[in-house]
Amino acid sequence: MALTIYSTLTNSKQEFIPQEAGKISMYVCGMTVYDYCHLGHARVLVAFDVITKYLRSSGFDVNYVRNITDIDDKIINRANENGEKFNALTERFIGHMHEDEKALGVARPDMEPRATNHIGDIIAMTEVLIEKGYAYACDNGDVYYRVAKFEGYGKLSNKNPDELLAGARIETGDIKEDPRDFALWKSAKADDVSWPSPWGPGRPGWHIECSAMTKCCVGDTFDIHGGGPDLPFPHHENEIAQSEAANDKEFARYWMHAGAVRVDGEKMSKSLGNFFTIREILDKYHREVVRYVLVRSHYRSAINYSEENLKTAKVELDRLYTGLRGYDDVEVLALDQLPQGNRYVKAFTEAMDDDFNTALAISVLFESVRELNSATANKAADASEQAQILKSLGSVLGLLAENVEDYMQAGLSDAGLSADAIEALIAERIQSKKDKNFQRADEIRDELKEQGVVLEDGAGGTTWRRD
């Protein structure tokens, strides 16, 4: 089965054929860094991390680029509120973003361009657009893109330019030729953050930043452009208009957008009090449980975040980890190194080749763990190989990377009994059994259960996990 990708540009699944055989260039719109990353950011981070992991594990050479917007109205306003320089603010939150992605098991991109490092490229592209008649400079130093000039405007978001004009508001004193036109360069006001340009001091508009960075990092035409659910219009639509007008070439060949995150069925919003940062969630739940919630749904579907879903995810992930007890030492292999005739490898690959269907891929993991449990119970000769397949398939999704007991025993640093206290009570319970003091042994089990610790007695002794 060939790899197919649902492209937002065509609203259909297409067979994926990279420009260059065996190599993939992918650019994903990243964060605007003025605050902590939230759950919606986590969705995009994890979705494209899984996509990258799968492509690489399948043998592709992937150049994954994710940009940083480090100059923006929100950044300037927040820095002014804090009484600090804008770049001190952005540097701090870039550091926090890297901490959050590491905590979620998200690998860093190959390139992470920042808008402020590409001011010269932005100015150069703006000059080309002016020269070609796709942009115009105003007397006040602003530069705008001439939307009516670009024939294909609206092809990504399926918006009719005439309808956009009818719905556009014309502001008093607006210097634009057309209400639909958008800023490529914004003239500086007094004490604004600014850079010199042919039109006077100013700073770039948001959309032109990505057009300049894609050109530098992945070329005029590249394979995959990705981002969050709110980006097709206007951001990605404007990127297409800028880049294709400036470069006279097709921009991105496939467009991928992650689904939205809802909280208890409602849109995540600070005003509703249901807005969660990544670090707030990771203070309550193990990182793989959070990641599991994000990958068990197809990347294009909306995710409903709730306490109940997180608890269910913990139970399901526990089942996979329980099957791997005793197999911590098995080597994790890339997908293309696993036995291709194995039915689980084949089913997993087919699921992921179908537009990265992680929901179906996870169901394959549960089929695999059922067979592993049977093989372990019967001491089958191929049990270790089955464990290796399960763990290797899980790693493509960024799951099953922990030592089993470390995962099972993981809990909040300030929650319940410490691991040493639990081990001491288990030792006391073992001794109580030896002394035939079964009442005390039962009391210890009950005490631990009340503290959220589950004991599991087996042939190899007693193990425990946090519930």
Side-chain angles (χ1 to χ4, degrees), residues 361-378:
I362 282 180
S363 72
V364 175
L365 299 188
F366 283 102
E367 291 173 17
S368 174
V369 80
R370 279 195 292 271
E371 185 165 331
L372 174 59
N373 289 337
S374 176
T376 301
N378 296 319

mmCIF file of all heavy atoms in Angstrom, residues 361-378:
data_model
loop_
_atom_site.group_PDB
_atom_site.id
_atom_site.type_symbol
_atom_site.label_atom_id
_atom_site.label_comp_id
_atom_site.label_asym_id
_atom_site.label_seq_id
_atom_site.Cartn_x
_atom_site.Cartn_y
_atom_site.Cartn_z
ATOM 1 N N ALA A 361 -3.575 2.397 14.247
ATOM 2 C CA ALA A 361 -2.261 1.869 14.614
ATOM 3 C C ALA A 361 -2.239 1.445 16.082
ATOM 4 O O ALA A 361 -1.646 0.415 16.428
ATOM 5 C CB ALA A 361 -1.179 2.917 14.339
ATOM 6 N N ILE A 362 -2.885 2.204 16.948
ATOM 7 C CA ILE A 362 -2.919 1.855 18.362
ATOM 8 C C ILE A 362 -3.729 0.583 18.588
ATOM 9 O O ILE A 362 -3.392 -0.250 19.446
ATOM 10 C CB ILE A 362 -3.461 3.025 19.206
ATOM 11 C CG1 ILE A 362 -2.345 4.066 19.376
ATOM 12 C CG2 ILE A 362 -3.965 2.564 20.566
ATOM 13 C CD1 ILE A 362 -2.718 5.277 20.186
ATOM 14 N N SER A 363 -4.777 0.388 17.805
ATOM 15 C CA SER A 363 -5.542 -0.860 17.935
ATOM 16 C C SER A 363 -4.663 -2.063 17.600
ATOM 17 O O SER A 363 -4.834 -3.153 18.176
ATOM 18 C CB SER A 363 -6.783 -0.831 17.041
ATOM 19 O OG SER A 363 -6.446 -0.962 15.668
ATOM 20 N N VAL A 364 -3.706 -1.878 16.689
ATOM 21 C CA VAL A 364 -2.760 -2.952 16.363
ATOM 22 C C VAL A 364 -1.873 -3.259 17.565
ATOM 23 O O VAL A 364 -1.546 -4.429 17.832
ATOM 24 C CB VAL A 364 -1.896 -2.566 15.132
ATOM 25 C CG1 VAL A 364 -0.831 -3.635 14.856
ATOM 26 C CG2 VAL A 364 -2.767 -2.371 13.907
ATOM 27 N N LEU A 365 -1.492 -2.240 18.322
ATOM 28 C CA LEU A 365 -0.681 -2.468 19.523
ATOM 29 C C LEU A 365 -1.420 -3.354 20.517
ATOM 30 O O LEU A 365 -0.812 -4.230 21.152
ATOM 31 C CB LEU A 365 -0.322 -1.137 20.195
ATOM 32 C CG LEU A 365 0.502 -0.125 19.396
ATOM 33 C CD1 LEU A 365 0.916 1.045 20.295
ATOM 34 C CD2 LEU A 365 1.735 -0.766 18.776
ATOM 35 N N PHE A 366 -2.727 -3.162 20.653
ATOM 36 C CA PHE A 366 -3.487 -3.978 21.606
ATOM 37 C C PHE A 366 -3.657 -5.412 21.109
ATOM 38 O O PHE A 366 -3.671 -6.352 21.919
ATOM 39 C CB PHE A 366 -4.832 -3.323 21.913
ATOM 40 C CG PHE A 366 -4.707 -2.169 22.870
ATOM 41 C CD1 PHE A 366 -4.739 -0.871 22.412
ATOM 42 C CD2 PHE A 366 -4.498 -2.385 24.219
ATOM 43 C CE1 PHE A 366 -4.591 0.198 23.278
ATOM 44 C CE2 PHE A 366 -4.347 -1.333 25.108
ATOM 45 C CZ PHE A 366 -4.393 -0.033 24.630
ATOM 46 N N GLU A 367 -3.773 -5.594 19.798
ATOM 47 C CA GLU A 367 -3.792 -6.960 19.270
ATOM 48 C C GLU A 367 -2.446 -7.639 19.539
ATOM 49 O O GLU A 367 -2.400 -8.818 19.907
ATOM 50 C CB GLU A 367 -4.060 -6.919 17.761
ATOM 51 C CG GLU A 367 -5.460 -6.466 17.389
ATOM 52 C CD GLU A 367 -5.610 -6.275 15.888
ATOM 53 O OE1 GLU A 367 -4.754 -6.787 15.131
ATOM 54 O OE2 GLU A 367 -6.573 -5.604 15.466
ATOM 55 N N SER A 368 -1.384 -6.879 19.370
ATOM 56 C CA SER A 368 -0.040 -7.413 19.589
ATOM 57 C C SER A 368 0.195 -7.782 21.048
ATOM 58 O O SER A 368 0.768 -8.834 21.350
ATOM 59 C CB SER A 368 0.998 -6.379 19.127
ATOM 60 O OG SER A 368 2.307 -6.794 19.437
ATOM 61 N N VAL A 369 -0.265 -6.927 21.983
ATOM 62 C CA VAL A 369 -0.005 -7.205 23.399
ATOM 63 C C VAL A 369 -0.803 -8.413 23.882
ATOM 64 O O VAL A 369 -0.349 -9.151 24.779
ATOM 65 C CB VAL A 369 -0.284 -5.967 24.275
ATOM 66 C CG1 VAL A 369 -1.763 -5.777 24.571
ATOM 67 C CG2 VAL A 369 0.498 -6.058 25.590
ATOM 68 N N ARG A 370 -1.975 -8.664 23.283
ATOM 69 C CA ARG A 370 -2.735 -9.859 23.669
ATOM 70 C C ARG A 370 -1.952 -11.124 23.311
ATOM 71 O O ARG A 370 -1.890 -12.072 24.097
ATOM 72 C CB ARG A 370 -4.105 -9.857 22.974
ATOM 73 C CG ARG A 370 -5.140 -8.997 23.651
ATOM 74 C CD ARG A 370 -6.535 -9.293 23.168
ATOM 75 N NE ARG A 370 -6.735 -8.886 21.786
ATOM 76 C CZ ARG A 370 -7.142 -7.683 21.416
ATOM 77 N NH1 ARG A 370 -7.383 -6.760 22.325
ATOM 78 N NH2 ARG A 370 -7.316 -7.401 20.136
ATOM 79 N N GLU A 371 -1.343 -11.125 22.120
ATOM 80 C CA GLU A 371 -0.550 -12.289 21.731
ATOM 81 C C GLU A 371 0.706 -12.389 22.585
ATOM 82 O O GLU A 371 1.138 -13.493 22.942
ATOM 83 C CB GLU A 371 -0.175 -12.215 20.252
ATOM 84 C CG GLU A 371 0.550 -13.473 19.773
ATOM 85 C CD GLU A 371 0.606 -13.588 18.274
ATOM 86 O OE1 GLU A 371 -0.307 -13.085 17.590
ATOM 87 O OE2 GLU A 371 1.569 -14.204 17.781
ATOM 88 N N LEU A 372 1.310 -11.246 22.923
ATOM 89 C CA LEU A 372 2.497 -11.259 23.788
ATOM 90 C C LEU A 372 2.157 -11.821 25.161
ATOM 91 O O LEU A 372 2.929 -12.620 25.724
ATOM 92 C CB LEU A 372 3.060 -9.843 23.916
ATOM 93 C CG LEU A 372 4.220 -9.673 24.910
ATOM 94 C CD1 LEU A 372 5.406 -10.548 24.545
ATOM 95 C CD2 LEU A 372 4.650 -8.196 24.980
ATOM 96 N N ASN A 373 1.017 -11.433 25.718
ATOM 97 C CA ASN A 373 0.618 -11.964 27.031
ATOM 98 C C ASN A 373 0.483 -13.481 26.992
ATOM 99 O O ASN A 373 0.905 -14.184 27.926
ATOM 100 C CB ASN A 373 -0.710 -11.334 27.468
ATOM 101 C CG ASN A 373 -0.574 -9.872 27.841
ATOM 102 O OD1 ASN A 373 0.521 -9.424 28.191
ATOM 103 N ND2 ASN A 373 -1.667 -9.135 27.773
ATOM 104 N N SER A 374 -0.099 -13.989 25.907
ATOM 105 C CA SER A 374 -0.246 -15.439 25.760
ATOM 106 C C SER A 374 1.114 -16.106 25.627
ATOM 107 O O SER A 374 1.375 -17.151 26.246
ATOM 108 C CB SER A 374 -1.112 -15.741 24.536
ATOM 109 O OG SER A 374 -1.207 -17.130 24.319
ATOM 110 N N ALA A 375 2.001 -15.501 24.831
ATOM 111 C CA ALA A 375 3.339 -16.070 24.636
ATOM 112 C C ALA A 375 4.124 -16.068 25.936
ATOM 113 O O ALA A 375 4.852 -17.020 26.249
ATOM 114 C CB ALA A 375 4.087 -15.271 23.567
ATOM 115 N N THR A 376 3.972 -15.023 26.732
ATOM 116 C CA THR A 376 4.670 -14.938 28.022
ATOM 117 C C THR A 376 4.150 -16.004 28.976
ATOM 118 O O THR A 376 4.934 -16.697 29.643
ATOM 119 C CB THR A 376 4.476 -13.537 28.634
ATOM 120 O OG1 THR A 376 4.991 -12.554 27.740
ATOM 121 C CG2 THR A 376 5.206 -13.420 29.966
ATOM 122 N N ALA A 377 2.837 -16.148 29.038
ATOM 123 C CA ALA A 377 2.238 -17.127 29.942
ATOM 124 C C ALA A 377 2.652 -18.547 29.575
ATOM 125 O O ALA A 377 2.877 -19.392 30.461
ATOM 126 C CB ALA A 377 0.720 -17.005 29.914
ATOM 127 N N ASN A 378 2.801 -18.805 28.276
ATOM 128 C CA ASN A 378 3.168 -20.144 27.808
ATOM 129 C C ASN A 378 4.668 -20.325 27.605
ATOM 130 O O ASN A 378 5.103 -21.380 27.119
ATOM 131 C CB ASN A 378 2.445 -20.446 26.489
ATOM 132 C CG ASN A 378 0.935 -20.504 26.659
ATOM 133 O OD1 ASN A 378 0.431 -21.052 27.642
ATOM 134 N ND2 ASN A 378 0.204 -19.918 25.720
#
